[in-house]
Amino acid sequence: MKFTIQRDRLVQSVQDVMKAVTSRTTIPILTGIKIAATAEGVTLTGSDSDISIESFIPKEVAGDEIVEIRQTGAIVLQAKFFSEIVKKLPTDTVEIEVLGSLQTVIRSGKSEFNLNGLDAEEYPHLPQIEENNKFHIATDLLKAMIRQTHFAVSTSETRPILTGVNWKIENEELTCIATDSHRLALRKAKIETENHENYNVVIPGKSLNELSKIIDDSHELIDIVITENQILFKAKHLLFFSRLLEGNYPDTSRLIPNESKTEVTVNTKEFLQAIDRASLLAREGRNNVVKLSTFDEGTIEISSNTPEIGKVVEEIQSQSIDGEELKISFSAKYMMDALKAFEGTDIKVSFTGAMRPFVIRPLHDETILQLILPVRTY
Amino acid sequence: MKFTIQRDRLVQSVQDVMKAVTSRTTIPILTGIKIAATAEGVTLTGSDSDISIESFIPKEVAGDEIVEIRQTGAIVLQAKFFSEIVKKLPTDTVEIEVLGSLQTVIRSGKSEFNLNGLDAEEYPHLPQIEENNKFHIATDLLKAMIRQTHFAVSTSETRPILTGVNWKIENEELTCIATDSHRLALRKAKIETENHENYNVVIPGKSLNELSKIIDDSHELIDIVITENQILFKAKHLLFFSRLLEGNYPDTSRLIPNESKTEVTVNTKEFLQAIDRASLLAREGRNNVVKLSTFDEGTIEISSNTPEIGKVVEEIQSQSIDGEELKISFSAKYMMDALKAFEGTDIKVSFTGAMRPFVIRPLHDETILQLILPVRTY
């Protein structure tokens, strides 16, 4: 293998595939990045066996030569060193050449690295996925859907299925649901499918988090292919594979209350900042719980009391409070996570009494909701 | 105590005095910030008993009212909570009031905090320093002198005196020296003194590091007062006290060679980047050592070899190489630390053989030098 490549392109691709590489792997070759040069360009691959990322650098983009292939071939280089090296090379182009016995030379200006490579033949093959059942979604919408749900997955391995996000596709609509059994995040969107098939899968929260770090905020469509145990995201020059979680995701639809006894409409940012301050003293304690009380004339009070440190009272003016008077306690962290998922200015919080889950929605938008279970404090 | 204060000013002062506060203290009251209101304004104090910082907020600056004092007094509030609270308060002004039994109310807009305070009478008094023997130095010069020396202090407590920077004042010249016995950094500057007295003290490296984080890059003079066991830096509205280290600092003057056998003149940035790359593979290993070899026609080679990972060869073109041919090995980290201390474009490295300390100086500047002991590798 021997080729010359534009350094910036190489650095970007290496950074992308590095998202899948971990040093905590039991398969030594996965600490490396696979580099393969064909007549078409250079492909980099990184994998931790749960997630695999493949980034392709074409020979030419819009008449601009990116890679000059002298000899095709493949090698695996230690990801940690290779990524550091390419970042720090002195000139705009890099030459990479595999000599005999896996020795790989990286040249740039008057800098020459000689790395011990690993045999690319021993690198695991990426899953073969038949692309019959594709659907499409705009990249920025996908990113938003991940951001608005993945934070609510469980971090505990007690029920492994809850560490994933449930993706359901029915009637050309994608619904993403995450819950750790104390709160739930749900986001829906219309998508384009090729064959109206239905799916119900669970994607590891960590995979979606890494994916959202790589994809950009563009309107370009990303292709998604689901198989029995894998999901593949196909963007331009980028393949992102994740395994799916095995098992049945709980039916969460009956958790969401249909009625409410108190409805509060409030500015998202003011509400978020008041809760942030009200929880400042409570964070130290065991619970990080704040109390919300409604008063006449649309006044809401958020408070917390940590006797050894002090207490906080925050008052905010809501747009409206309808229904019964209410006192309720909940986790400030869950509330802040939920509020950060909303993009609009105003939200409606629907309560069904102090002991029942409550639901937060934007004012005129049915595609997103956040549900939180209250905490019993009195 | 009761006063209203501009939030931005309070936040800035709290951040400054926080630099001295640590949660790892055996004196509980030092986890707090002392707040004292007098007719002139508000004084904040933070201390870890090694370093103490006092920040004064005057009642009025250039006709602009900063603080409105309603009632003088003092209180100590938990630094961790107080600093978080003032940062997040909703409006531009903050009211702080001490009620009975040390209860302190912080009000801002519709936000009200009630903190359990501590008795300001129990807060340790700052050292009383007689200001007979002051000298002055421009703030930005002081900052540069700290930056160019403090990194070379020892991090090991084997010889505690080496964890400090030696400050000598003789003939209206300040010399700062730091060494960990493997390398040495020296910086000199002319200063203004009031009474031509000489000093020889050792200031903890940590104190100087914290000081340089607080002071700005201005040309304004900073006053310095040295006593038997304390040093005081006086900037506008800021007092910074540090204890001095006890003991005699070794005489380092005879470490610095007067002659040299090989002199290399080279561009600082090119040299630094080549050493950075050459050490990329060596960092993992036990030593992080690179080898420098001189060749004909001004060529310098920097190389390292870590058999299990690979090797690097970097070639740079020097302005000149005078004297004997040389092969020498040294710590890449020490060399990079030293090179980062130089502001100019070119440096001269003076070697006295492969086993002797070598000295790095800017081309036309006698006020700074860095010395490094080589590593024996062959």
Side-chain angles (χ1 to χ4, degrees), chain A residues 80-81 88 90 110-114 116 276-277 280-281 284 307-315, chain B residues 80-81 85 88 90 110-114 116 276-277 281 284 307-315:
Chain A
K80 190 173 55 176
F81 297 111
K88 294 193 167 171
K110 300 240 169 154
S111 174
E112 184 173 306
F113 285 79
N114 212 307
N116 307 338
D276 188 10
R277 284 192 297 270
L280 273 179
L281 309 184
E284 286 300 290
E308 59 278 25
I309 304 165
K311 62 187 177 194
V312 195
V313 179
E314 293 280 337
E315 199 181 291
Chain B
K80 190 172 56 176
F81 296 111
I85 290 168
K88 293 192 166 170
K110 300 241 169 156
S111 175
E112 184 173 305
F113 285 80
N114 212 308
N116 307 338
D276 188 11
R277 284 191 297 270
L281 309 184
E284 286 299 291
E308 57 279 25
I309 304 165
K311 61 185 179 198
V312 196
V313 179
E314 293 280 336
E315 200 181 290

